[in-house]
Amino acid sequence: MNVNLLLLELQNLDLQSQENARARADAEKQYADSAAVDAARADLERATTQLDALEHPLRDLELETGSLTDKLALVNERLYSGRITNAKELADLNADEKMLQKRKRELEDRALSLMEKIETANAAVQTKRAAFADSSTQTNAQRLLAQNKLRQLDASDAELAQQRASLRARLDAPTLRNYDQLRAAKKGRAVAQIKNASCSQCGYAVPAGLLSRIKVGSELVWCANCGRILTP
């Protein structure tokens, strides 16, 4: 059993686990990310609020205009019925009619101005609603992708855990302790392969006498420069 090669295999599994952890963090962040849809929702709410702020005064104007129309109808009915013959009373009715007509025109002008603004505001609401729907669709698709990725990572992690447990069971406690301590100290890379008679991590030239011991793999051999376990 070449202990060094087993440690290299274990390191590869541990590095894959680390990569899975990073990928999981990214997928969870992607799943939780609702910035785009939240912004689109806020835009829609603002546009809807602006539209409501215009529609309420318009309803009030319509009610007041309706009331004025009813009053004007009563004044006209009395004015032109022929029942009123008193000159002062007729003059007062004429004055009332003019005042009501003027007020009605003012209300109608204000209502027309509001309706133009409402038309613009309503178009903005429709645009924001469509943007919110698009953003919701994109966010849901993004979350679905993230969910699928997380499921894949769950399966991968379960397989890696099984492989790691099986591999660690083949190594003795001191070897595992050395490996785990180095792995913590060397950012996950406790084992370095020999490339062109040199340590692949730091480039240190390994003496020929050590190369044969490393090749046999019955004992741990460390790089004299970076301190990693060397493997063929």
Side-chain angles (χ1 to χ4, degrees):
M1 177 180 69
N2 191 314
V3 176
N4 298 322
L5 290 177
L6 290 178
L7 288 175
L8 178 62
E9 186 178 351
L10 178 59
Q11 177 173 273
N12 289 337
L13 294 176
D14 286 332
L15 289 173
Q16 183 59 55
S17 293
Q18 287 180 342
E19 182 59 32
N20 282 7
R22 285 190 289 268
R24 181 179 296 278
D26 289 342
E28 289 174 346
K29 181 179 179 181
Q30 184 180 24
Y31 183 82
D33 184 11
S34 60
V37 73
D38 288 344
R41 182 186 293 108
D43 285 345
L44 176 58
E45 289 174 352
R46 280 192 294 270
T48 302
T49 298
Q50 290 170 357
L51 177 60
D52 289 342
L54 294 170
E55 288 180 334
H56 287 150
L58 179 62
R59 286 193 288 272
D60 292 341
L61 284 175
E62 289 172 342
L63 287 173
E64 188 175 353
T65 301
S67 176
L68 279 176
T69 300
D70 292 340
K71 291 179 182 178
L72 191 57
L74 289 175
V75 169
N76 283 335
E77 193 277 330
R78 293 184 63 199
L79 184 60
Y80 300 110
S81 67
R83 296 192 302 273
I84 306 299
T85 57
N86 182 280
K88 184 179 182 308
E89 191 173 354
L90 285 172
D92 289 342
L93 286 173
N94 269 313
D96 288 344
E97 181 196 23
K98 290 179 180 179
M99 181 190 67
L100 291 171
Q101 287 285 12
K102 180 182 178 182
R103 179 59 179 163
K104 184 180 178 183
R105 284 192 299 271
E106 290 174 352
L107 293 178
E108 288 172 343
D109 288 344
R110 287 170 57 190
L112 181 60
S113 176
L114 275 176
M115 284 188 285
E116 290 173 349
K117 293 178 181 178
I118 285 171
E119 183 178 1
T120 300
N122 189 58
V125 167
Q126 298 307 316
T127 298
K128 300 300 183 183
R129 182 172 288 120
F132 174 63
D134 288 343
S135 183
S136 297
T137 299
Q138 292 173 9
T139 298
N140 290 335
Q142 172 181 298
R143 286 177 173 171
L144 182 59
L145 289 173
Q147 281 182 326
N148 290 337
K149 181 63 176 178
L150 289 170
R151 292 192 190 98
Q152 293 171 5
L153 289 170
D154 287 341
S156 176
D157 284 343
E159 183 178 357
L160 286 171
Q162 186 176 10
Q163 291 174 346
R164 287 180 71 255
S166 175
L167 199 54
R168 289 179 72 90
R170 298 170 63 186
L171 296 163
D172 60 44
T175 298
L176 287 173
R177 185 165 53 252
N178 276 310
Y179 168 77
D180 289 336
Q181 289 173 350
L182 268 175
R183 182 168 175 267
K186 301 295 184 180
K187 298 181 179 180
R189 293 190 177 274
V191 182
Q193 285 185 284
I194 300 296
K195 301 290 185 182
N196 299 320
S198 298
C199 172
S200 61
Q201 289 297 313
C202 71
Y204 174 74
V206 181
L210 290 181
L211 291 175
S212 59
R213 290 169 55 192
I214 294 168
K215 189 173 182 180
V216 172
S218 60
E219 61 179 317
L220 297 183
V221 178
W222 290 268
C223 175
N225 183 56
C226 68
R228 290 180 172 87
I229 299 168
L230 296 173
T231 186

